[in-house]
Amino acid sequence: MKLLMVEDNRSVSEMMSMFFQKEQWEAAFAYDGDEALEMFNQQVQDWDIVTLDLNLPGKDGMEVAKEIREKSKTVPIIMLTARDSESDQVLGLEYADEYVTKPFSPITLIARIKALYRRSGLKEETAVLKQPAETKKFDINTPNFQLSSATREAYLLDKEIPDLTPKEFDLLKALSSKPKQVFTREQLLQQVWGYDYFGDERTVDAHIKKLRHKIEQVGPQIIQTVWGVGYKFDDSDVQTK
C-alpha cells in the first residue's frame, strides 16, 4: 500500500511512520496543505490511501480534500480532525470517505486504513478497462437500473451515475441488491463499513445525502427514506415520475 499522510504535527507523523513501517506500507508525509497537493499531483494514480488533517497551515484539509477529489474520484480519504461536532463531521464527509476524531490511537487508525483499503477495491478498479455500457456484465440489472461490481459503475435510465466514491458505490450496491427491503442505519454500517468500523449512524446519513445528489443528476430519486427505520432502494416507478 502507498499512503500519503497529511499532518502538520510532526510528532504524530513520526509516531505513525513507525506503525506504517511495521505494516510494510510505503508512506509519504506532507506537513501543510500546499505541500500535500504538490505531492499528490505528482503521482495522482499511485496513491492508495490519503489521511488528511482538517486543520493545516496554508490550505486547510477541506480545501485539500476538494482539490484531491477533482483529480481523483476514487482514492480513499480519511479525514483526521480534532473537532467532534456533527456539523464538522458531515462537512468532512463532503469529500472524504471517513473521519477519525483526534486524539486517536495508532492501532485504531491502522485498522480504519486497512478496512477502507480492503473495501475500496481500488487496485481491481483501476485494472479494469472501460467498456461500452451495452457490453458490461451487471450484478444488478432491472429495466431502469444497472450496477457492475467489475467496473464499479452504476446506471439509471441508461445514464451513468457520476463520480461515485468507493463508499457511495458500496452503499448503492448494498441497497440495490435487495430492492424495497428496508435497511437500518446500523445494518448499513455493518454491511458497508464492516464490523471493525467504529463510527456512528450519522456517517450513513452523510453518505446517503451525497449519493442522492449524484443520482439526481441523471434521473429520479431511487433511494427512499423510511422514517424511523432507515433507507431502501426502489426504482419500480422511476419512469412515471
Side-chain angles (χ1 to χ4, degrees):
M1 186 191 303
K2 187 169 184 178
L3 179 146
L4 175 61
M5 184 171 202
V6 187
E7 169 61 64
D8 65 323
N9 188 323
R10 292 179 181 266
S11 296
V12 172
S13 296
E14 291 171 2
M15 174 185 65
M16 292 308 306
S17 176
M18 293 185 291
F19 282 86
F20 295 153
Q21 289 177 14
K22 184 177 179 181
E23 297 292 335
Q24 298 183 331
W25 296 344
E26 181 182 351
F29 297 88
Y31 302 100
D32 62 58
D34 294 319
E35 182 183 18
L37 288 171
E38 182 179 353
M39 293 176 65
F40 183 84
N41 290 335
Q42 287 175 354
Q43 304 177 65
V44 172
Q45 302 302 324
D46 295 336
W47 301 109
D48 295 317
I49 293 279
V50 176
T51 69
L52 180 60
D53 191 14
L54 184 59
N55 297 312
L56 292 169
K59 292 184 177 180
D60 66 16
M62 202 64 62
E63 292 178 276
V64 174
K66 181 180 179 180
E67 293 194 33
I68 287 177
R69 274 286 165 258
E70 290 173 353
K71 297 286 185 177
S72 172
K73 306 299 183 184
T74 57
V75 62
I77 299 174
I78 299 178
M79 188 77 78
L80 308 177
T81 173
R83 307 174 188 174
D84 59 3
S85 71
E86 180 178 359
S87 60
D88 286 326
Q89 292 168 357
V90 171
L91 189 61
L93 288 171
E94 181 69 23
Y95 303 108
D97 296 284
E98 293 185 7
Y99 65 86
V100 173
T101 303
K102 291 183 173 180
F104 57 83
S105 79
I107 294 175
T108 296
L109 181 57
I110 291 292
R112 290 283 195 90
I113 291 171
K114 286 181 176 179
L116 181 56
Y117 179 69
R118 186 168 60 243
R119 292 189 300 271
S120 71
L122 186 62
K123 292 300 183 182
E124 289 77 10
E125 180 179 354
T126 55
V128 176
L129 296 175
K130 291 285 186 177
Q131 307 170 49
E134 61 271 16
T135 68
K136 297 180 188 297
K137 294 183 178 179
F138 296 111
D139 304 80
I140 299 168
N141 195 346
T142 76
N144 305 311
F145 177 82
Q146 294 81 36
L147 180 144
S148 169
S149 295
T151 61
R152 297 185 72 83
E153 294 170 345
Y155 295 83
L156 177 61
L157 299 176
D158 296 324
K159 296 179 181 178
E160 183 177 359
I161 301 172
D163 304 331
L164 292 175
T165 66
K167 273 293 184 300
E168 291 163 1
F169 179 87
D170 292 343
L171 188 56
L172 182 57
K173 181 180 178 181
L175 289 164
S176 62
S177 66
K178 297 182 178 179
K180 298 186 179 182
Q181 175 175 315
V182 181
F183 290 83
T184 66
R185 292 169 177 82
E186 182 179 359
Q187 287 174 323
L188 291 170
L189 273 176
Q190 292 175 349
Q191 187 165 336
V192 176
W193 279 262
Y195 287 93
D196 53 357
Y197 180 73
F198 303 98
D200 61 40
E201 295 178 353
R202 292 172 297 186
T203 300
V204 176
D205 294 336
H207 279 79
I208 288 286
K209 180 180 178 180
K210 293 193 297 178
L211 177 58
R212 281 174 164 167
H213 175 71
K214 294 177 181 180
I215 289 170
E216 288 170 355
Q217 294 180 45
V218 299
Q221 191 52 250
I222 52 178
I223 304 300
Q224 310 298 334
T225 299
V226 180
W227 296 107
V229 184
Y231 300 99
K232 68 177 181 178
F233 172 94
D234 186 358
D235 71 330
S236 60
D237 62 344
V238 296
Q239 292 178 320
T240 65
K241 293 182 180 180

